[in-house]
Amino acid sequence: MQESIQSCVFKNGWLGKREKTLFGRERTLDNPEEMRFGIALERFTAQLEHPLPDAQWSGIITNIARKAFDTGMVDGVVTLHRSGEDHFFSKPVLALTPEEIYQSRGNKPVLSPVLKSLQAAFSKKLKKILVIGAACHIHTLRDFQERFPYLRDMDIYTVGIPCVDNVQRNRFHWILERISRSPDTARHMEFMQDFRIHIKHTDGSIEKVPFLSLPEELSNPNIFPESCMSCFDYLNSLSDITVGYLAARLLPDQNRQWVIVRTKKGKKLLDLVNDELKRFPEHGGWDCKKFVQGTADRIIESMKGLKTAYSPDRKIPLWLGQVISWLLYTTGPKGIGFAHYSVDFHLIRHYYFVKYQYPEQLAVLVPRHVRSILREYDLPL
Ligand SMILES: Cc1cc2nc3c(=O)[nH]c(=O)nc-3n(C[C@H](O)[C@H](O)[C@H](O)COP(=O)(O)OP(=O)(O)OC[C@H]3O[C@@H](n4cnc5c(N)ncnc54)[C@H](O)[C@@H]3O)c2cc1C
């Protein structure tokens, strides 16, 4: 516990010197893509030719983990299983068999103590492990690797998920009940590129709820953990390879994903599954400035936290939300432009959350590229 607090990103700050340690340099402020997406050897979109049933998307991460284990690249995988009591809740696991690795697939959209299983890996004297985690886990792991000789002696590979708007367990069902028409049958949930939340139900149907039609009470910044509202590494830039979906083309009946290979170890992980991927180049125009500017003032106002009462009513009716989200999707940024928009939206939101709620933390938490991006929009620092 004490070790985790000492190595916690909320004590040490995001990226900065840790990025330099991993890559030999910090991300450049001259390259707008690198500023947002982090240092990368390669980026592309892809899906597994044979998607894994019940994986979050096509299951690229679980397949990487399976192959890393089957080929002897690693002896165990530090990840999560479903809790057994609640479909959406997690329990940390050190997966030591192909079946245990397969069972780790799918999102558990709650804060999760992934790194707890490092202890089990140490006790079992494992020398080669794969860790799958969100950016906060990978930051802490990188600090552990610097501080603890036994982790320095381990050969550690990392797969990162992009992560945003994760929630506390005690809040999760309260939130789901306000999003879905049928929270009890919901099994899979994701905030999508078409400005709607897609919720898959047990009967296979997909409910699509426009962000703009959510009840107003879900725009209260206090419903998300303060840690997630202070996150400045949406795309998990210290992982060896990040696997998400943000810049991928959204197509019916396909589960395209977005892959960012960051290090030589990430390339070795990719090589394990490369033959099983259908690859597609990134697409979309880069520009999203007007789109971001259109929401920036509203976000900044809401981060001041002055509002105390939030209505349980929808901000706009569902039908109107469907029309507007369709318009935003058809006319708005696509592919890497959408990823650009989403990264900037969240870092603006988080910068002003920290600035207004924890001003003394600004200097510690905020990496330098964030201020460069705010300047692009002429936003006050
Ligand atoms: C809260 C949350 C928000 C996300 N937001 C985005 C986003 O905005 N944009 C985007 O591109 N991607 C996002 N992702 C990642 C995305 O949903 C997929 O996990 C990713 O694309 C991998 O898909 P896959 O089919 O390869 O995963 P799978 O093969 O199904 O494997 C998923 C892996 O992630 C692990 N995992 C699940 N939940 C957590 C968790 N809470 N903490 C740590 N590890 C976990 C699983 O145990 C498993 O190992 C988010 C994930 C989470 C949990």
Side-chain angles (χ1 to χ4, degrees):
M1 181 67 175
Q2 203 47 43
E3 278 89 356
S4 299
I5 292 172
Q6 199 177 334
S7 285
C8 181
V9 62
F10 299 101
K11 186 166 176 293
N12 297 326
W14 292 96
L15 301 165
K17 92 173 188 340
R18 204 132 285 119
E19 187 168 59
K20 195 165 180 184
T21 308
L22 186 65
F23 298 100
R25 66 176 178 92
E26 285 186 53
R27 65 187 65 192
T28 168
L29 303 184
D30 299 328
N31 178 337
E33 293 189 16
E34 189 170 288
M35 269 208 287
R36 271 88 179 179
F37 304 159
I39 296 173
L41 299 174
E42 189 184 6
R43 299 191 324 241
F44 59 92
T45 69
Q47 89 164 54
L48 275 184
E49 300 236 21
H50 303 290
L52 297 187
D54 300 325
Q56 188 65 17
W57 291 110
S58 73
I60 293 178
I61 291 185
T62 305
N63 232 26
I64 288 176
R66 288 207 302 197
K67 287 283 159 56
F69 185 81
D70 290 348
T71 57
M73 186 187 272
V74 300
D75 299 325
V77 180
V78 168
T79 180
L80 301 171
H81 277 172
R82 298 202 181 279
S83 73
E85 289 130 39
D86 188 305
H87 176 79
F88 288 107
F89 290 1
S90 60
K91 64 173 180 208
V93 67
L94 173 67
L96 294 169
T97 65
E99 179 55 23
E100 285 173 353
I101 294 170
Y102 187 62
Q103 289 307 333
S104 69
R105 69 204 188 284
N107 277 3
K108 297 91 186 168
V110 288
L111 293 186
S112 301
V114 171
L115 299 183
K116 209 170 163 197
S117 306
L118 284 178
Q119 185 68 41
F122 171 62
S123 308
K124 289 185 181 298
K125 300 191 170 36
L126 298 194
K127 286 286 172 207
K128 301 172 287 176
I129 59 167
L130 172 69
V131 178
I132 302 170
C136 48
H137 302 125
I138 304 296
H139 270 70
T140 303
L141 175 69
R142 296 300 187 201
D143 196 70
F144 281 171
Q145 284 179 289
E146 281 177 34
R147 287 177 48 223
F148 301 120
Y150 67 85
L151 283 179
R152 270 204 301 278
D153 291 345
M154 266 190 197
D155 194 11
I156 301 182
Y157 290 79
T158 56
V159 179
I161 51 168
C163 185
V164 74
D165 295 341
N166 208 346
V167 296
Q168 304 270 20
R169 274 157 218 244
N170 60 7
R171 274 293 199 180
F172 180 78
H173 286 286
W174 183 92
I175 293 172
L176 183 61
E177 281 158 22
R178 280 153 184 79
I179 296 176
S180 175
R181 60 172 155 72
S182 172
D184 291 341
T185 60
R187 288 294 175 272
H188 178 288
M189 186 169 79
E190 199 83 67
F191 288 67
M192 295 303 296
Q193 301 98 314
D194 62 0
F195 301 88
R196 297 186 291 181
I197 302 173
H198 292 199
I199 305 152
K200 192 167 179 188
H201 291 278
T202 41
D203 64 1
S205 64
I206 300 183
E207 180 186 1
K208 297 179 180 175
V209 184
F211 302 161
L212 289 168
S213 295
L214 291 171
E216 194 207 29
E217 58 193 335
L218 292 185
S219 48
N220 180 348
N222 295 335
I223 65 169
F224 293 111
E226 293 181 331
S227 53
C228 297
M229 294 298 288
S230 317
C231 171
F232 292 96
D233 190 21
Y234 186 178
L235 296 182
N236 216 323
S237 320
L238 300 186
S239 63
D240 293 310
I241 183 169
T242 300
V243 184
Y245 61 88
L246 204 53
R249 208 182 277 277
L250 178 60
L251 293 169
D253 303 324
Q254 293 198 28
N255 297 312
R256 290 197 187 176
Q257 298 189 247
W258 188 33
V259 181
I260 307 176
V261 184
R262 301 191 182 280
T263 66
K264 285 186 186 151
K265 281 191 161 178
K267 177 80 174 71
K268 280 170 79 177
L269 291 171
L270 173 68
D271 287 344
L272 295 169
V273 298
N274 218 4
D275 292 348
E276 298 168 46
L277 293 179
K278 265 193 262 173
R279 281 200 189 215
F280 313 92
E282 287 180 336
H283 75 290
W286 178 248
D287 186 45
C288 62
K289 193 162 185 175
K290 286 207 184 92
F291 228 71
V292 176
Q293 279 170 330
T295 52
D297 289 346
R298 184 180 48 77
I299 309 169
I300 295 172
E301 268 315 298
S302 65
M303 289 306 112
K304 285 185 180 160
L306 297 177
K307 195 166 170 157
T308 48
Y310 289 85
S311 158
D313 297 332
R314 290 188 188 284
K315 286 184 279 189
I316 57 173
L318 267 177
W319 70 266
L320 184 57
Q322 299 289 10
V323 174
I324 299 177
S325 50
W326 179 81
L327 278 172
L328 292 174
Y329 178 55
T330 45
T331 60
K334 307 268 184 317
I336 56 164
F338 181 79
H340 177 186
Y341 154 74
S342 192
V343 168
D344 287 7
F345 172 94
H346 287 99
L347 68 81
I348 291 171
R349 188 181 76 172
H350 298 175
Y351 181 84
Y352 290 99
F353 176 79
V354 178
K355 182 178 163 92
Y356 292 125
Q357 308 300 327
Y358 295 96
E360 72 289 355
Q361 292 295 324
L362 266 189
V364 182
L365 290 180
V366 181
R368 62 186 190 139
H369 70 276
V370 172
R371 291 186 177 82
S372 297
I373 292 172
L374 296 177
R375 276 189 215 103
E376 284 182 20
Y377 295 103
D378 294 323
L379 293 172
L381 295 178

